[in-house]
Amino acid sequence: MAAKEPEIIRDKDQMRRWSRAMRSQGKTVGLVPTMGYLHDGHVSLIREAHNHTDLIVVSIYVNPGQFSPSEDLSTYPSDFHGDIQKLMAVPGGVDVVFNPHNLYDYGTSKNANAAARASDDARVGNGGNGVVSCVEENGLGHETWVRVERLEKGMCGQSRPVFFRGVATVVSKLFNIVEPDVAVFGKKDYQQWRIIQRMVRDLDFGIRVIGSEIVREKDGLAMSSRNVRLSPEEREKALSISKSLSRARLAAAKGQTNCKELRDLVTQAIHESGGRLDYAEVSM
């Protein structure tokens, strides 16, 4: 059976027309949002989407709205041709790859937004701390952000104050453009998955959000596009995360119910490996 080559769409209006045309024929549409540099974890999301919808759209877009200027937007790994080859190898394939150039480009000039940008710098981010996203630093004129205020606090939100605001906003944009019936997200980014679920509930998106289980490398490391940037030493240290979680899970299975002691098991294992811990939380 010949590999299925997806249609590549880069224009927002064309994407919306395609989706509406398919749904007018009684087809259901599933969306798998990605930032590209695909791996088997992404493939598992596509396979899950095939269980729920007739047609699959995979978006490939590195979202500048979730990066601050000090983060790794410019070095985020990319291999669009390789991504298409991987998608063609997925059983059942995908129908469309939505690969927009810039979802924050509205044809406005940077000079026209300079004054607004200067005032924005003083008030955006968490609590007006001056942290901005790459979108705001580049002065693209985007002003509207989606916040899931309680769930974005804590955990990853502590060290990345613009991240979840940027994620919720770009996912809202993708939902409005693709208009899917179902969207699939990986549980590796657990806080992100829960935030999207809450956003869909609170804003009455008619979309079913599905969480797909974590896919790991043979050595236990959770699959991630950024893994390619790890040195052998860094990769070994990264393994302490899955090892420490396995240690805590085993302790809980044996009857350990003290959350502090379970958290200490994780903290100790990561510190012993030379890692730096942003947070560790236990929920029973």
Side-chain angles (χ1 to χ4, degrees):
M1 184 175 181
K4 180 178 180 179
E5 185 170 354
E7 180 178 355
I8 298 172
I9 297 178
R10 293 191 166 88
D11 179 75
K12 292 185 288 186
D13 292 334
Q14 182 185 352
M15 181 70 255
R16 189 178 288 112
R17 286 195 299 270
W18 180 91
S19 187
R20 291 181 178 180
M22 295 302 105
R23 294 180 72 187
S24 72
Q25 298 173 23
K27 304 288 188 181
T28 55
V29 176
L31 171 65
V32 178
T34 83
M35 295 208 299
Y37 210 77
L38 304 181
H39 50 69
D40 285 348
H42 296 112
V43 171
S44 74
L45 304 183
I46 297 166
R47 287 176 171 162
E48 180 64 29
H50 272 297
N51 293 329
H52 304 280
T53 60
D54 301 315
L55 304 170
I56 307 294
V57 176
V58 172
S59 63
I60 296 178
Y61 180 66
V62 181
N63 171 37
Q66 68 195 56
F67 291 82
S68 73
S70 64
E71 293 175 332
D72 60 345
L73 173 63
S74 63
T75 59
Y76 195 87
S78 175
D79 180 12
F80 186 75
H81 176 73
D83 288 344
I84 298 301
Q85 298 305 307
K86 290 173 183 174
L87 292 174
M88 291 175 63
V90 177
V94 304
D95 298 278
V96 168
V97 171
F98 180 46
N99 178 228
H101 171 63
N102 187 347
L103 288 179
Y104 300 89
D105 184 359
Y106 310 107
T108 54
S109 107
K110 292 185 179 181
N111 291 336
N113 292 290
R117 183 168 73 255
S119 63
D120 284 346
D121 287 351
R123 59 184 169 81
V124 299
N126 280 2
N129 63 4
V131 179
V132 298
S133 70
C134 292
V135 168
E136 291 153 307
E137 179 170 84
N138 290 333
L140 296 178
H142 182 88
E143 296 184 42
T144 305
W145 299 96
V146 179
R147 305 293 295 259
V148 183
E149 294 186 345
R150 184 179 63 83
L151 289 184
E152 73 175 35
K153 295 177 181 177
M155 296 191 285
C156 290
Q158 294 182 58
S159 58
R160 303 190 68 187
V162 302
F163 178 74
F164 288 120
R165 182 191 68 167
V167 167
T169 299
V170 81
V171 171
S172 294
K173 290 168 77 68
L174 290 170
F175 284 175
N176 285 328
I177 294 166
V178 179
E179 299 182 343
D181 300 281
V182 170
V184 182
F185 293 82
K187 291 183 181 179
K188 176 177 73 71
D189 302 304
Y190 184 83
Q191 189 176 10
Q192 172 179 283
W193 168 52
R194 288 302 193 187
I195 282 172
I196 298 304
Q197 283 187 317
R198 185 61 53 86
M199 179 190 77
V200 164
R201 186 201 73 174
D202 289 355
L203 298 184
D204 294 310
F205 281 100
I207 298 169
R208 182 183 174 196
V209 176
I210 295 172
S212 189
E213 297 301 325
I214 298 173
V215 177
R216 297 185 181 277
E217 305 280 2
K218 291 181 179 180
D219 60 6
L221 186 65
M223 289 188 175
S224 170
S225 300
R226 288 183 171 95
N227 286 351
V228 70
R229 295 172 50 193
L230 296 174
S231 67
E233 295 78 13
E234 289 170 336
R235 185 183 178 92
E236 186 61 32
K237 289 181 179 180
L239 287 172
S240 67
I241 299 173
S242 60
K243 290 177 180 177
S244 67
L245 293 174
S246 295
R247 183 188 300 180
R249 182 167 56 245
L250 180 61
K254 291 182 176 180
Q256 173 58 271
T257 59
N258 186 298
C259 289
K260 181 181 183 304
E261 292 182 9
L262 290 172
R263 185 172 63 246
D264 289 345
L265 281 175
V266 173
T267 301
Q268 180 183 357
I270 292 176
H271 285 163
E272 286 175 352
S273 74
R276 180 180 61 84
L277 192 68
D278 284 334
Y279 67 88
E281 296 190 15
V282 179
S283 177
M284 300 294 288

